[in-house]
Amino acid sequence: MTEPGELLLSVRDLRTEFRTDAGVVKAVDGVSYDVYENEVVGIVGESGSGKSVTAMSIMGLVPDPPGRITSGQAVWKGRDLIGLDDKALRGVRGGEIAVVFQDPMSSLNPVHTVGRQIAEMVRLHRRASRKQAAERAVEMMDLVGIPQARRRARSYPHEFSGGMRQRVMIAMALSCEPDLLIADEPTTALDVTIQAQVLELLQEVKERTSSAILLITHDLGVVAGMADQVLVMYAGKAVERGSAPEVFHRSQHPYTLGLLSSLPRVDEDAGTRLRPIQGTPPSLIHLPPGCSFHPRCPFARTPAPCVTDEPPLEEAVTPGHAAACHFAEEVSAADVLAPSPSSSADTP
Ligand code: SF4
């Protein structure tokens, strides 16, 4: 684990909804977390848990309409990003906070060379001549391990493999030396070997540049290998938050336990069946009463308190480790193995 530095980003009680014909979708519902210098914060959860919308909200990338941030703060180096106008946010995006998305092909412009696209980013956020920006592009491609960077800078996105395109995206994101890199499912579209290379690259980059990383993924194996702090999200809410060793080895929420149990393990016999979490995530328009996880929870006691009272996210068992469960202490005593850092699988 890395020693954290100064507080960079403080998100408090963030709420983002989407208005649809079927009703209001509460995609993010009162989420809070901090990101410090040099730190990797992992946000984990199933698809639709609100983890990406959490990050997109602070970057001003939620389309309005249908999306709307209804409350909360995202204080970046002392300035609240929520409600900043587009011009002010553009100054932060790319230069101070950069994003690497899941699908590099749709993020890169197919009609420009990758070198030009990285150089444009440099010119947009830094005072640099065309020549300096082009040199910086080559330097960054070299940094992220693209062979023959000077020659490859003249290639177009379709001339790169998926893994190399993701390296280009990381080079572009890092070209302006951001203080925070948001990596939104950076390895999901890649095969396992390339996934491992990209994660290793992110780790190296963090060590060399001291950037903080907000790593958004559905894959607990990815987070186990990299994150210092972990936020587990379910149905738009944070259900567990703490240091990675605490969350993985002393989980206090049955959902986190379920995610851990559903991972395939190298130390189990071949043919051992996976243990998926029963049921499916709830509709974000009609959430179950009380604890939203209760229809799927093996620890649930119904009707009270699990169906009648929504559990707050609180540090009831260990300081610095919070869970939203009425029976956090009992859950933390349950015997479930944590994933090895390299294990990786889709959560159900
Ligand atoms: Fe399960 Fe009840 Fe805890 Fe919710 S509050 S996670 S239903 S035990």
Side-chain angles (χ1 to χ4, degrees):
M1 189 181 298
T2 323
E3 275 304 308
E6 299 275 309
L7 177 63
L8 288 175
L9 175 68
S10 176
V11 177
R12 287 292 170 274
D13 197 32
L14 184 67
R15 292 171 199 269
T16 305
E17 14 175 272
F18 292 87
R19 283 148 290 168
T20 70
D21 291 342
V24 176
V25 175
K26 291 185 177 171
V28 178
D29 196 5
V31 168
S32 303
Y33 59 92
D34 294 325
V35 182
Y36 288 82
E37 271 176 353
N38 301 333
E39 192 178 56
V40 179
V41 176
I43 303 187
V44 210
E46 289 163 291
S47 301
S49 60
K51 52 194 190 306
S52 293
V53 181
T54 303
M56 294 308 108
S57 300
I58 62 175
M59 295 289 283
L61 295 174
V62 172
D64 180 3
R68 192 162 57 113
I69 298 170
T70 58
S71 73
Q73 287 187 318
V75 178
W76 169 254
K77 297 181 177 177
R79 184 163 62 149
D80 190 1
L81 300 179
I82 306 296
L84 272 192
D85 63 33
D86 207 45
K87 188 170 171 228
L89 271 175
R90 270 204 304 271
V92 175
R93 279 199 299 256
E96 296 179 34
I97 306 178
V99 190
V100 176
F101 292 105
Q102 174 178 341
D103 179 5
M105 200 54 192
S106 59
S107 310
L108 290 166
N109 189 330
V111 299
H112 294 306
T113 63
V114 299
R116 177 174 167 182
Q117 293 183 60
I118 299 172
E120 269 177 14
M121 177 69 110
V122 175
R123 277 172 60 79
L124 197 64
H125 293 284
R126 295 278 182 272
R127 284 185 180 194
S129 66
R130 277 183 199 288
K131 191 162 175 243
Q132 286 167 331
E135 272 307 311
R136 176 80 176 152
V138 172
E139 194 187 309
M140 293 313 298
M141 289 176 65
D142 198 38
L143 176 83
V144 299
I146 296 175
Q148 302 180 344
R150 192 165 296 281
R151 183 175 70 76
R152 296 295 272 154
R154 295 193 294 273
S155 303
Y156 291 85
H158 73 269
E159 297 176 271
F160 287 80
S161 66
M164 282 293 160
R165 277 199 290 269
Q166 197 56 292
R167 283 174 192 260
V168 170
M169 286 305 298
I170 294 170
M172 192 182 297
L174 295 174
S175 61
C176 298
E177 297 172 7
D179 298 308
L180 173 64
L181 180 69
I182 298 179
D184 188 0
E185 301 277 10
T187 58
T188 301
L190 307 173
D191 65 46
V192 178
T193 321
I194 308 298
Q195 258 186 30
Q197 289 174 8
V198 169
L199 290 175
E200 203 174 305
L201 170 64
L202 283 174
Q203 188 72 45
E204 274 174 32
V205 157
K206 190 202 126 198
E207 276 155 25
R208 271 195 246 172
T209 64
S210 310
S211 298
I213 299 179
L214 189 60
L215 182 62
I216 299 167
T217 177
H218 63 279
D219 189 332
L220 273 182
V222 166
V223 170
M226 272 192 78
D228 301 300
Q229 295 288 322
V230 177
L231 183 78
V232 182
M233 288 192 66
Y234 184 75
K237 293 190 169 74
V239 294
E240 185 154 8
R241 188 182 59 212
S243 68
E246 271 286 326
V247 171
F248 287 128
H249 296 284
R250 284 173 289 280
S251 313
Q252 293 177 11
H253 197 281
Y255 179 58
T256 314
L257 280 186
L259 291 176
L260 292 170
S261 306
S262 62
L263 286 171
R265 302 189 56 89
V266 287
D267 53 359
E268 281 183 336
D269 295 336
T272 305
R273 290 174 71 89
L274 295 178
R275 292 169 293 270
I277 301 174
Q278 297 303 317
T280 52
S283 153
L284 295 179
I285 298 175
H286 304 292
L287 284 173
C291 172
S292 4
F293 189 59
H294 82 254
R296 308 173 73 186
C297 181
F299 291 81
R301 288 188 205 156
T302 58
C306 296
V307 182
T308 50
D309 301 312
E310 184 177 345
L313 181 70
E314 59 184 6
E315 297 174 13
V317 184
T318 322
H321 182 178
C325 177
H326 295 303
F327 302 105
E329 190 156 4
E330 190 178 309
V331 176
S332 70
D335 185 23
V336 171
L337 297 168
S340 56
S342 56
S343 69
S344 170
D346 286 357
T347 50

